[in-house]
Amino acid sequence: MKISVIGAGNVGGLTAMRLAQEGLGDIFLVDIAKGLAQGKVCDLEDTQAILKSNFNIIGTDDINEIRDSDIVVVTAGLARKPGMTREDLLNKNAQILKAVCLNIKTLAAKSIVIIVTNPLDLMTRLAQQVLGLPVNKVFGMGITLDAARFANLISKELNVAVTQIEACVIGSHGEGMLPLPRFTKVSGEPLDKIIGKDKAQELIVKTFDRGKEIVAFLGSGSAYFAPSAAIAEIVTTIAKGDSQTLGLSAYLNGEYGIKDVCIGVTCRLGKNGIEKIVELELNREELAALQDCASKLKEQFKEIK
Ligand SMILES: NC(=O)c1ccc[n+]([C@@H]2O[C@H](COP(=O)([O-])OP(=O)(O)OC[C@H]3O[C@@H](n4cnc5c(N)ncnc54)[C@H](O)[C@@H]3O)[C@@H](O)[C@H]2O)c1
């Protein structure tokens, strides 16, 4: 299996490390900045003797190295700075993503492409349009990260092991994020049966603000430990040929009454990409919120120059 990670910044570098350590195949880390991917890979290679593990990882500034990849992860782009929303990044990252996807189209047209660059749902749809691949093979990582953050905050609030929590978040990886207490389970019990509405709302707001909280603490750059773990989970599922239900930014074609947009929904993921959109039985309020989020994404997509 050949897996390429484009963008060797904070998220890309750490993703390459996790994938190499998982032993999933040959990992190619690519960045436009001269020496960055090579430098990180030299450092990563040096961990092998300490970890008593062999892996094959190559760092390069030559995009041609992604040729015939089975999986391509796109993390190339600018990260948020304090005070910036993900949407502020829109046009800068759209330009980068378009250039990267044109290269993927030429060099690795049979790959499964996982988009990470923000604003995630808009960049995923743009990638689908530029690549012209089947939409089940081009999707985005965003809401598994949001669900992981929701789970962590619930675990701290209730003093329950995070492994006992299955958090459910749908919607956009951004202003339209929808953490869902009714579908979130704590030791098998729905969260809305365990805590009151106000407390649930407090946790939702904290989840919503988690990315901004991290950006403000860091001062420059945004989160990368949990994002890279979320990417590695997706890549591992595909590379090992497992099948798993998780949240992805996926193209909807009528599901939830939504069409022609990428948005975070629960999906069945397998070795060939998204096998199925798993529709949750949303109540009227949840469905309206998801549809409203989809309409906003469609409007924002039109703003891409
Ligand atoms: N979807 C998510 O959940 C999630 C989570 C974290 C970060 N992100 C996003 O991922 C992106 C990367 O974040 P980061 O923290 O790694 O940023 P970073 O600035 O550390 O790294 C980005 C890298 O992309 C490279 N790059 C730019 N244009 C390129 C091109 N054309 N080809 C190859 N490489 C190119 C840059 O040189 C840089 O090294 C950002 O857009 C960020 O907002 C998304």
Side-chain angles (χ1 to χ4, degrees), residues 9-11 31-32 36 75-78 93 96 116 118 141 145 173:
N10 284 333
V11 177
D31 201 289
I32 201 166
L36 182 69
T75 76
L78 307 181
N93 282 353
I96 294 173
V116 181
N118 277 320
M141 185 292 291
L145 171 63
H173 179 61

Side-chain angles (χ1 to χ4, degrees), residues 287-304:
L287 183 62
L290 185 67
Q291 289 176 338
D292 180 53
C293 172
S295 307
K296 289 194 176 124
L297 283 170
K298 275 192 188 176
E299 284 308 306
Q300 286 162 358
F301 194 76
K302 290 186 197 149
E303 287 165 26
I304 299 177

